[in-house]
Every structure is written in structure tokens, then in C-alpha cells.
Amino acid sequence: MKGVYWIPHVPHTEVPRYYQMADVLVTPSIGPEAFCLVNVEGMATDLPVVSVKTGGIPEVLEDGVSGVLVTKVYLIKRLANACIDLFDDPQRMRELGLVARMHVETYYRWELVAKRFHNVYQQLMRQTTINATG
């Protein structure tokens, strides 16, 4: 049976299990989200994501490729329609989820993120050393 279930706070260790029970992740953010880690977490578990074109969300989620992005104009109707379209096309929903997971594995694995941060810190340290001695 399809339905919407509102889940109260879940301990962090239980979050992956809840993602795996879901068919789609909807994040109706209306503020200027910087990154929206919840989208990446959902994508990592093969979930197609329906979200909003705001802040950094479009940098993570590609509309029609790894999920669905809607504009803030008529947000409620657009979110509902995007979800209905996905539920009416289970194959597309699966494909978006698989592409989403591949995207996360390619760009957001912790090893890759740590390496990028390490490189940034190394660069900052070199610049600081040059500025201090120059």
C-alpha cells in the first residue's frame, strides 16, 4: 500500500534502514541549502530524490538524471506531481535511483571527500607558508 509516513527522530545508526524502506525521498527545502546531505544519503541507498532547485541542491542532484528537481513556484503541486509521475513509472524510479547511487559512489565516497579536503588543506598550508616568508 502506498502512503506517506512521517517518521519522528531516528538515531543516526538507524537512518540507512529507513532509507531502504522508502520508495522515494522528498526534500521540500525552501531555504538556501548549502549542500543538503540528506539527499546524498538517500541517493546512496538507491532512492530517487525529489527536491527543490535551491542553494547547492542542483549541484548534487541532476534533474531527470539522478532525481527530480522542481522550482519553488507552486511547490506543493509540483512536488506532488513529480512523486505521482515517479510512482506511475516504477522503471524510471529504479533508473533514477541507480544513477543516483552511482553518482554518490563516484563523487561523494568518504575516501574521496577526505582526499579533496586533504588537498585543500595542503594548498592552504603552502599559501600560508609562502605568505609568511614572502
Side-chain angles (χ1 to χ4, degrees):
M1 179 177 154
K2 300 275 188 235
V4 175
Y5 300 94
W6 299 100
I7 308 293
H9 173 75
V10 173
H12 187 70
T13 57
E14 294 291 312
V15 171
R17 187 169 66 88
Y18 280 86
Y19 283 130
Q20 291 166 349
M21 289 189 291
D23 295 308
V24 65
L25 175 64
V26 180
T27 55
S29 301
I30 56 172
E33 292 279 352
F35 181 70
C36 203
L37 183 59
V38 69
N39 288 343
V40 175
E41 291 174 339
M43 292 165 69
T45 58
D46 293 336
L47 278 179
V49 177
V50 177
S51 196
V52 184
K53 291 179 185 176
T54 186
I57 293 172
E59 294 175 28
V60 174
L61 186 66
E62 189 176 353
D63 187 32
V65 177
S66 56
V68 179
L69 289 171
V70 298
T71 60
K72 288 194 257 184
V73 179
Y74 306 113
L75 180 60
I76 294 171
K77 182 177 181 177
R78 289 179 189 224
L79 279 174
N81 287 340
C83 292
I84 290 167
D85 289 346
L86 286 177
F87 283 117
D88 285 345
D89 191 349
Q91 179 62 32
R92 180 169 180 253
M93 191 164 34
R94 275 190 297 281
E95 289 170 1
L96 289 174
L98 290 173
V99 170
R101 182 174 180 164
M102 287 189 296
H103 183 77
V104 170
E105 289 176 356
T106 302
Y107 297 102
Y108 298 108
R109 286 192 339 262
W110 284 117
E111 305 85 40
L112 297 173
V113 172
K115 185 176 182 176
R116 285 195 297 263
F117 270 106
H118 177 77
N119 291 341
V120 167
Y121 291 143
Q122 291 295 322
Q123 220 173 13
L124 289 172
M125 288 174 61
R126 280 192 298 275
Q127 289 175 353
T128 302
T129 302
I130 290 169
N131 289 339
T133 59

